[in-house]
Amino acid sequence: MAGAMRPDLNGQRVLVTGAAGQLGGFLIPELRRSRAAVIALGSRPDVGIDVAVDLADGEATGRAIGEAAPDVVIHAAAGTDVDGIERDPARGDRSNAQATRNVAGSARECGAYLVAVSTDMVFPGDGGAPYGEDAVPAPISAYGRSKLAAEQAVFQADPEFAVARTAWLYGGAGKHFPRTVLSVLRKRGSIDVVDDEFGSPTNASDLARALVQLAAARGSGVFHLVNEGRASRYDLARATASCAGIDPFNVRPISSEDFLAKFPLPAPRPADSTLLNRRAAAQGIALRGWREALAAFVPLLAAELRSLPETVPATGG
Ligand SMILES: NC(=O)c1ccc[n+]([C@@H]2O[C@H](COP(=O)([O-])OP(=O)(O)OC[C@H]3O[C@@H](n4cnc5c(N)ncnc54)[C@H](OP(=O)(O)O)[C@@H]3O)[C@@H](O)[C@H]2O)c1
């Protein structure tokens, strides 16, 4: 389990941004199980979306959040296309820095408490890992810089707000690393995966539960919320194969240098951005180890892929 007790939000109004995204899809049911009155905010009208707004539009965001009158805002919306933002950093400025400035200012104005989700990619990953919450960020990508600017906007709006950094998120119906691994293995029989990039794989369902606990506790400052332990991409891919009943020897190690020579990516990735959940643990918010969390998810993913026609996603996760 991600944590011992499910908090009782007892009818509190909780607005979730990024409601149609990967994490949003887990946050909303988790909040409902905690008896919150959920307001789902998305970028466009859709099934399950209560309010549609472009968060980079300050006026529209202020109006939408003001009218929703939330007690709590969980800001899970972000521009997450790391390579797209490297090519066009203005996208990160807009969807991460500016949007978060607007959300944090609006939350402050209507007296709501805010938790904003951030990333391990605020760290350089060049020797300081595992990173605790007090480690000094120094992003090496445009995405990381835009998320660090977003973090700063949160605390400029109100030092009592919280930033929750997570990493290597997977779950749900969209694109993520375990899905890419199984899709490629299914189609081609083998996959080359880098064995010199390390981090903290995190089950989005576990993160959703920890975020609800954090929101209930009204924690302030920076928190790291990842499944425990450290993995290379290669470790994660092998464990994913094993959990799906596929021989892990079909996952072959490759160095980042050799991989990038074959498949160049615009954004640099931290070599080791493993996070430590020190402050969450001190508040009694515990996330299980990454292998156990992965084993809980992969059978569902494998069953879903078995029911689909054979296709390979265009890009790796
Ligand atoms: N995925 C990871 O591996 C990972 C790792 C570390 C941290 N994180 C952080 O975790 C959080 C959740 O990520 P996720 O994986 O759930 O991302 P996701 O699946 O890409 O969802 C993000 C959502 O934000 C929405 N959004 C983006 N810009 C918006 C705007 N200007 N106005 C309104 N909505 C906007 C997107 O809508 P559209 O699709 O319509 O644009 C999308 O529904 C983010 O803060 C991310 O930075 C993710």
Side-chain angles (χ1 to χ4, degrees):
M1 299 292 283
M5 283 264 291
R6 171 168 290 129
D8 185 353
L9 292 174
N10 195 21
Q12 286 186 57
R13 294 176 66 74
V14 182
L15 183 141
V16 176
T17 73
Q22 174 174 229
L23 176 58
F26 290 94
L27 265 173
I28 286 166
E30 187 60 39
L31 283 162
R32 293 209 169 109
R33 285 192 287 269
S34 292
R35 298 205 310 138
V38 180
I39 304 129
L41 188 149
S43 65
R44 63 182 79 93
D46 205 346
V47 180
I49 296 298
D50 301 312
V51 188
V53 71
D54 175 5
L55 296 171
D57 178 338
E59 234 180 87
T61 300
R63 204 167 38 243
I65 295 183
E67 281 170 9
D71 301 299
V72 174
V73 176
I74 303 184
H75 177 41
T80 54
D81 175 1
V82 172
D83 292 310
I85 289 173
E86 196 69 25
R87 284 189 206 98
D88 179 10
R91 279 176 58 187
D93 295 341
R94 201 173 173 285
S95 289
N96 294 333
Q98 187 58 45
T100 303
R101 207 168 290 128
N102 294 337
V103 170
S106 306
R108 164 86 191 153
E109 214 149 279
C110 65
Y113 162 81
L114 172 76
V115 184
V117 183
S118 191
T119 172
D120 58 321
M121 288 186 73
V122 297
F123 292 115
D126 58 356
Y131 293 106
E133 290 85 354
D134 55 356
V136 179
I140 56 172
S141 64
Y143 170 74
R145 286 188 287 278
S146 72
K147 292 291 286 184
L148 181 57
E151 292 187 1
Q152 289 161 348
V154 168
F155 297 123
Q156 270 158 20
D158 191 331
E160 299 298 310
F161 285 168
V163 161
R165 296 187 186 127
T166 192
W168 294 22
L169 214 53
Y170 62 83
K175 180 178 164 256
H176 53 71
F177 185 74
R179 178 181 294 279
T180 301
V181 168
L182 287 194
S183 301
V184 173
L185 283 172
R186 196 162 161 254
K187 177 83 178 175
R188 302 198 189 123
S190 68
I191 185 171
D192 293 343
V193 179
V194 299
D195 64 356
D196 54 2
E197 187 190 331
F198 294 86
S200 305
T202 300
N203 180 318
S205 169
D206 288 7
L207 173 61
R209 176 177 281 222
L211 280 168
V212 174
Q213 291 175 314
L214 180 61
R218 293 285 205 276
S220 60
V222 175
F223 291 82
H224 290 175
L225 296 178
V226 290
N227 283 123
E228 295 287 345
R230 172 179 186 262
S232 68
R233 290 272 177 198
Y234 173 66
D235 296 331
L236 177 56
R238 278 178 63 98
T240 300
S242 291
C243 292
I246 297 170
D247 187 342
F249 285 100
N250 294 320
V251 178
R252 297 181 309 221
I254 185 171
S255 69
S256 292
E257 196 180 346
D258 289 347
F259 182 86
L260 290 171
K262 281 204 256 178
F263 307 104
L265 293 171
R269 267 68 173 174
D272 186 349
S273 57
T274 307
L275 301 182
L276 286 177
N277 301 337
R278 283 204 183 110
R279 293 196 63 224
Q283 296 223 1
I285 301 173
L287 286 95
R288 59 189 162 178
W290 72 265
R291 285 184 186 277
E292 188 190 343
L294 183 75
F297 170 69
V298 168
L300 305 173
L301 174 63
E304 181 204 320
L305 292 176
R306 272 195 300 274
S307 71
L308 294 175
E310 294 210 355
T311 49
V312 176
T315 50

